[in-house]
Amino acid sequence: MTAIRLLLVDDDPLVRAGLSLMLGGADDIEIVGEAADGGEVEALVDRTRPDVVLMDIRMPSVDGLTATELLRRRADAPQVVVLTTFHADEQVLRALRAGAAGFVLKDTAPAEIVDAVRRVAAGDPALSPTVTRQLMAHAADTTADARRASARARLAALNDREREVAVAVGRGHANAGIAAELYMSVATVKTHVSRILAKLDLNNRVQIALLAHDAGLLDGTEER
C-alpha cells in the first residue's frame, strides 16, 4: 500500500510536533515536510510532492487562505485540509471556496484527524454533517442574495441529471447513495460529478455543495 504523503503547515512548533507525532504514527501516512508559514508552502510542495497539505488557517506572514488559493490554482494541486480553532469561521468558509477539501479543529480527537487526512486523500470531503450545517448557516448570514443570483447563473450550465447529482452531493451523499437514489450506476455518478466539476470550474465536492446551497437547491427555493 502506498503511504499518503502529508505536508504540515503551522506557525506553532509545538502544534507541528504534536501533529507529526500523531499522524506519523499511522502506518499509511508519511510526513514529507513541515512549514511554519504559508509563504513556504509552494516551494515545499515542489520539493516533496505531498498528496495532502494540513494547513493552519492563521499565520503571521502568508495565511492559510492565501496559501490554499495559490496551491489550488496549480494543475498538480495537492488536497488541502485547513486547521482552525473555530467551528464556523468566515475564513474557513473562504478556504473551502478556494478549494480546500475540508477542515479539522485543533482540539479534534487524534483518530478523527487521521481519518480526515485519509478521507481527503481518497477524494472525499472531511466535513461532518454538523460542521457542514454550521458552515452553510454561516454562509447564509451575509450577501446571500448576491451569492444566490451568481450561483443560479453558474448552475444554468448543468443539465437536469447533473443538477440532481449536484443536489445529492450538496446533501452529503456518497456516490453509492446517489446511485441508489437516482437509479444509476456508481460509475455514472462519478462521470456526472466529473462533468459538474469541469463545467463549473470547481475543485472538489465541497465546492459543489457550497454552490448548491448558495443557489437554493438544498432548501427548495431555486427558481428554474
Side-chain angles (χ1 to χ4, degrees), residues 80-115:
V80 177
V81 179
V82 295
L83 284 165
T84 182
T85 54
F86 300 99
H87 280 76
D89 187 322
E90 179 63 28
Q91 287 187 308
V92 173
L93 184 64
R94 288 174 59 199
L96 295 177
R97 293 189 187 281
F103 78 89
V104 293
L105 300 175
K106 288 190 175 181
D107 60 356
T108 297
E112 293 182 26
I113 295 179
V114 172
D115 181 63

CSV table of all heavy atoms in Angstrom, one decimal, residues 80-115:
chain,number,residue,atom,x,y,z
A,80,VAL,N,-6.1,20.0,0.2
A,80,VAL,CA,-5.8,20.8,1.4
A,80,VAL,C,-6.9,20.6,2.5
A,80,VAL,O,-8.1,20.7,2.2
A,80,VAL,CB,-5.7,22.3,1.0
A,80,VAL,CG1,-5.5,23.2,2.3
A,80,VAL,CG2,-4.6,22.5,0.0
A,81,VAL,N,-6.4,20.4,3.7
A,81,VAL,CA,-7.3,20.4,4.9
A,81,VAL,C,-6.8,21.5,5.8
A,81,VAL,O,-5.7,21.6,6.1
A,81,VAL,CB,-7.3,19.1,5.6
A,81,VAL,CG1,-8.2,19.1,6.8
A,81,VAL,CG2,-7.6,17.9,4.7
A,82,VAL,N,-7.7,22.5,6.1
A,82,VAL,CA,-7.3,23.6,6.9
A,82,VAL,C,-7.6,23.3,8.4
A,82,VAL,O,-8.5,22.6,8.8
A,82,VAL,CB,-8.1,24.9,6.5
A,82,VAL,CG1,-7.7,25.3,5.1
A,82,VAL,CG2,-9.6,24.7,6.6
A,83,LEU,N,-6.7,23.8,9.2
A,83,LEU,CA,-6.8,23.7,10.7
A,83,LEU,C,-7.3,25.0,11.2
A,83,LEU,O,-7.0,26.1,10.8
A,83,LEU,CB,-5.4,23.5,11.3
A,83,LEU,CG,-4.8,22.1,11.2
A,83,LEU,CD1,-3.3,22.2,11.5
A,83,LEU,CD2,-5.5,21.1,12.1
A,84,THR,N,-8.2,24.9,12.2
A,84,THR,CA,-8.8,26.1,12.8
A,84,THR,C,-9.2,25.8,14.3
A,84,THR,O,-9.3,24.7,14.7
A,84,THR,CB,-10.1,26.5,12.0
A,84,THR,OG1,-10.6,27.7,12.6
A,84,THR,CG2,-11.2,25.5,12.1
A,85,THR,N,-9.4,26.9,15.0
A,85,THR,CA,-9.9,26.8,16.4
A,85,THR,C,-11.4,27.1,16.5
A,85,THR,O,-11.9,27.0,17.6
A,85,THR,CB,-9.1,27.7,17.3
A,85,THR,OG1,-9.2,29.1,16.8
A,85,THR,CG2,-7.6,27.4,17.4
A,86,PHE,N,-12.0,27.4,15.4
A,86,PHE,CA,-13.4,27.8,15.4
A,86,PHE,C,-14.3,26.8,14.5
A,86,PHE,O,-13.8,26.4,13.5
A,86,PHE,CB,-13.6,29.2,14.9
A,86,PHE,CG,-12.9,30.2,15.7
A,86,PHE,CD1,-11.7,30.7,15.3
A,86,PHE,CD2,-13.4,30.7,16.9
A,86,PHE,CE1,-11.0,31.7,16.1
A,86,PHE,CE2,-12.7,31.6,17.7
A,86,PHE,CZ,-11.5,32.1,17.3
A,87,HIS,N,-15.5,26.6,15.0
A,87,HIS,CA,-16.4,25.7,14.2
A,87,HIS,C,-16.9,26.5,12.9
A,87,HIS,O,-17.1,25.9,11.9
A,87,HIS,CB,-17.6,25.3,15.0
A,87,HIS,CG,-17.3,24.2,15.9
A,87,HIS,ND1,-16.6,24.3,17.1
A,87,HIS,CD2,-17.7,22.9,15.9
A,87,HIS,CE1,-16.5,23.2,17.7
A,87,HIS,NE2,-17.2,22.3,17.0
A,88,ALA,N,-17.2,27.7,13.1
A,88,ALA,CA,-17.9,28.5,12.0
A,88,ALA,C,-17.1,29.8,11.8
A,88,ALA,O,-17.5,30.8,12.4
A,88,ALA,CB,-19.3,28.7,12.2
A,89,ASP,N,-16.1,29.8,11.0
A,89,ASP,CA,-15.2,30.9,10.9
A,89,ASP,C,-15.3,31.3,9.4
A,89,ASP,O,-15.2,30.5,8.5
A,89,ASP,CB,-13.8,30.5,11.2
A,89,ASP,CG,-12.8,31.7,11.2
A,89,ASP,OD1,-12.9,32.6,10.4
A,89,ASP,OD2,-11.9,31.6,12.1
A,90,GLU,N,-15.5,32.6,9.1
A,90,GLU,CA,-15.6,33.1,7.8
A,90,GLU,C,-14.4,32.8,7.0
A,90,GLU,O,-14.5,32.5,5.8
A,90,GLU,CB,-15.8,34.6,7.8
A,90,GLU,CG,-16.0,35.3,6.4
A,90,GLU,CD,-17.1,34.8,5.6
A,90,GLU,OE1,-18.2,34.4,6.2
A,90,GLU,OE2,-17.1,34.8,4.4
A,91,GLN,N,-13.2,32.8,7.6
A,91,GLN,CA,-12.0,32.4,6.9
A,91,GLN,C,-12.0,31.0,6.5
A,91,GLN,O,-11.5,30.6,5.4
A,91,GLN,CB,-10.8,32.7,7.7
A,91,GLN,CG,-10.5,34.2,7.9
A,91,GLN,CD,-9.2,34.4,8.6
A,91,GLN,OE1,-8.9,33.9,9.7
A,91,GLN,NE2,-8.3,35.2,8.0
A,92,VAL,N,-12.6,30.1,7.3
A,92,VAL,CA,-12.7,28.7,6.9
A,92,VAL,C,-13.6,28.5,5.7
A,92,VAL,O,-13.3,27.8,4.7
A,92,VAL,CB,-13.3,27.8,8.1
A,92,VAL,CG1,-13.5,26.4,7.6
A,92,VAL,CG2,-12.3,27.9,9.3
A,93,LEU,N,-14.7,29.2,5.7
A,93,LEU,CA,-15.6,29.2,4.6
A,93,LEU,C,-14.9,29.7,3.3
A,93,LEU,O,-15.0,29.1,2.2
A,93,LEU,CB,-16.8,30.1,4.8
A,93,LEU,CG,-17.9,30.0,3.8
A,93,LEU,CD1,-18.5,28.7,3.6
A,93,LEU,CD2,-19.0,31.1,4.1
A,94,ARG,N,-14.2,30.7,3.4
A,94,ARG,CA,-13.4,31.2,2.2
A,94,ARG,C,-12.4,30.2,1.8
A,94,ARG,O,-12.1,30.1,0.6
A,94,ARG,CB,-12.7,32.6,2.6
A,94,ARG,CG,-13.7,33.7,2.7
A,94,ARG,CD,-13.0,35.0,3.2
A,94,ARG,NE,-11.9,35.4,2.3
A,94,ARG,CZ,-10.9,36.2,2.6
A,94,ARG,NH1,-10.8,36.6,3.9
A,94,ARG,NH2,-10.0,36.5,1.7
A,95,ALA,N,-11.8,29.5,2.7
A,95,ALA,CA,-10.8,28.5,2.3
A,95,ALA,C,-11.4,27.4,1.5
A,95,ALA,O,-10.9,26.8,0.6
A,95,ALA,CB,-10.1,27.9,3.6
A,96,LEU,N,-12.6,27.0,2.0
A,96,LEU,CA,-13.4,25.9,1.3
A,96,LEU,C,-13.8,26.4,-0.1
A,96,LEU,O,-13.7,25.6,-1.1
A,96,LEU,CB,-14.6,25.5,2.0
A,96,LEU,CG,-14.4,24.9,3.4
A,96,LEU,CD1,-15.7,24.6,4.1
A,96,LEU,CD2,-13.6,23.6,3.3
A,97,ARG,N,-14.1,27.6,-0.3
A,97,ARG,CA,-14.5,28.2,-1.6
A,97,ARG,C,-13.2,28.3,-2.5
A,97,ARG,O,-13.3,28.2,-3.7
A,97,ARG,CB,-15.1,29.6,-1.4
A,97,ARG,CG,-16.5,29.5,-0.8
A,97,ARG,CD,-17.2,30.9,-0.9
A,97,ARG,NE,-18.4,30.9,-0.1
A,97,ARG,CZ,-19.6,30.4,-0.5
A,97,ARG,NH1,-19.6,29.8,-1.7
A,97,ARG,NH2,-20.6,30.4,0.3
A,98,ALA,N,-12.1,28.4,-1.8
A,98,ALA,CA,-10.8,28.5,-2.6
A,98,ALA,C,-10.4,27.1,-3.0
A,98,ALA,O,-9.4,27.0,-3.9
A,98,ALA,CB,-9.7,29.1,-1.7
A,99,GLY,N,-11.0,26.1,-2.5
A,99,GLY,CA,-10.6,24.7,-3.0
A,99,GLY,C,-10.2,23.8,-1.9
A,99,GLY,O,-9.8,22.6,-2.2
A,100,ALA,N,-10.1,24.2,-0.6
A,100,ALA,CA,-9.8,23.2,0.4
A,100,ALA,C,-10.8,22.1,0.5
A,100,ALA,O,-12.0,22.3,0.2
A,100,ALA,CB,-9.7,23.9,1.8
A,101,ALA,N,-10.4,20.9,0.8
A,101,ALA,CA,-11.3,19.7,0.8
A,101,ALA,C,-12.0,19.5,2.1
A,101,ALA,O,-12.8,18.7,2.3
A,101,ALA,CB,-10.5,18.5,0.4
A,102,GLY,N,-11.7,20.4,3.1
A,102,GLY,CA,-12.3,20.2,4.4
A,102,GLY,C,-11.5,20.9,5.5
A,102,GLY,O,-10.6,21.6,5.2
A,103,PHE,N,-11.9,20.8,6.7
A,103,PHE,CA,-11.2,21.3,7.8
A,103,PHE,C,-11.3,20.5,9.1
A,103,PHE,O,-12.3,19.7,9.2
A,103,PHE,CB,-11.5,22.8,8.1
A,103,PHE,CG,-12.8,23.0,8.8
A,103,PHE,CD1,-12.8,23.1,10.2
A,103,PHE,CD2,-14.0,23.2,8.2
A,103,PHE,CE1,-14.0,23.3,10.9
A,103,PHE,CE2,-15.2,23.4,8.8
A,103,PHE,CZ,-15.2,23.5,10.2
A,104,VAL,N,-10.4,20.6,10.0
A,104,VAL,CA,-10.4,20.0,11.3
A,104,VAL,C,-10.1,21.0,12.3
A,104,VAL,O,-9.3,21.9,12.1
A,104,VAL,CB,-9.5,18.8,11.4
A,104,VAL,CG1,-9.9,17.6,10.4
A,104,VAL,CG2,-8.0,19.2,11.1
A,105,LEU,N,-10.7,20.8,13.5
A,105,LEU,CA,-10.4,21.7,14.6
A,105,LEU,C,-9.1,21.2,15.3
A,105,LEU,O,-8.8,20.0,15.3
A,105,LEU,CB,-11.6,21.6,15.6
A,105,LEU,CG,-12.9,22.1,15.1
A,105,LEU,CD1,-14.0,21.9,16.2
A,105,LEU,CD2,-12.9,23.5,14.7
A,106,LYS,N,-8.4,22.2,15.9
A,106,LYS,CA,-7.1,21.8,16.5
A,106,LYS,C,-7.3,20.9,17.7
A,106,LYS,O,-6.4,20.2,18.2
A,106,LYS,CB,-6.4,23.1,16.9
A,106,LYS,CG,-5.8,23.8,15.6
A,106,LYS,CD,-4.8,24.8,16.0
A,106,LYS,CE,-4.2,25.4,14.7
A,106,LYS,NZ,-3.2,26.5,15.0
A,107,ASP,N,-8.5,20.9,18.3
A,107,ASP,CA,-8.8,20.1,19.5
A,107,ASP,C,-9.5,18.8,19.1
A,107,ASP,O,-10.0,18.1,20.0
A,107,ASP,CB,-9.5,20.9,20.6
A,107,ASP,CG,-10.9,21.4,20.1
A,107,ASP,OD1,-11.2,21.2,18.9
A,107,ASP,OD2,-11.6,21.9,20.9
A,108,THR,N,-9.6,18.5,17.8
A,108,THR,CA,-10.2,17.3,17.4
A,108,THR,C,-9.4,16.0,17.9
A,108,THR,O,-8.2,16.1,18.0
A,108,THR,CB,-10.3,17.2,15.8
A,108,THR,OG1,-11.1,18.3,15.4
A,108,THR,CG2,-10.9,15.9,15.3
A,109,ALA,N,-10.2,15.0,18.2
A,109,ALA,CA,-9.5,13.7,18.6
A,109,ALA,C,-8.5,13.3,17.6
A,109,ALA,O,-8.8,13.3,16.4
A,109,ALA,CB,-10.6,12.7,18.9
A,110,PRO,N,-7.4,12.7,18.0
A,110,PRO,CA,-6.3,12.3,17.0
A,110,PRO,C,-6.9,11.4,15.9
A,110,PRO,O,-6.5,11.5,14.8
A,110,PRO,CB,-5.3,11.6,17.9
A,110,PRO,CG,-5.4,12.3,19.2
A,110,PRO,CD,-6.9,12.6,19.4
A,111,ALA,N,-7.7,10.4,16.3
A,111,ALA,CA,-8.2,9.4,15.3
A,111,ALA,C,-9.0,10.1,14.3
A,111,ALA,O,-9.0,9.7,13.1
A,111,ALA,CB,-9.0,8.4,16.0
A,112,GLU,N,-9.7,11.2,14.6
A,112,GLU,CA,-10.5,11.9,13.6
A,112,GLU,C,-9.7,12.7,12.7
A,112,GLU,O,-10.0,12.9,11.5
A,112,GLU,CB,-11.5,12.8,14.4
A,112,GLU,CG,-12.6,12.0,15.1
A,112,GLU,CD,-13.6,13.0,15.8
A,112,GLU,OE1,-13.8,14.1,15.3
A,112,GLU,OE2,-14.2,12.6,16.8
A,113,ILE,N,-8.6,13.3,13.2
A,113,ILE,CA,-7.6,14.0,12.3
A,113,ILE,C,-7.0,13.0,11.3
A,113,ILE,O,-6.9,13.3,10.1
A,113,ILE,CB,-6.6,14.7,13.1
A,113,ILE,CG1,-7.2,15.8,13.9
A,113,ILE,CG2,-5.5,15.4,12.2
A,113,ILE,CD1,-6.2,16.6,14.8
A,114,VAL,N,-6.6,11.9,11.8
A,114,VAL,CA,-6.0,10.8,10.9
A,114,VAL,C,-7.1,10.4,9.8
A,114,VAL,O,-6.8,10.3,8.7
A,114,VAL,CB,-5.6,9.6,11.7
A,114,VAL,CG1,-5.2,8.5,10.8
A,114,VAL,CG2,-4.4,10.0,12.6
A,115,ASP,N,-8.3,10.3,10.3
A,115,ASP,CA,-9.4,9.9,9.4
A,115,ASP,C,-9.6,11.0,8.3
A,115,ASP,O,-9.9,10.7,7.1
A,115,ASP,CB,-10.7,9.6,10.1
A,115,ASP,CG,-11.8,9.1,9.2
A,115,ASP,OD1,-11.7,8.1,8.6
A,115,ASP,OD2,-12.8,9.9,9.2
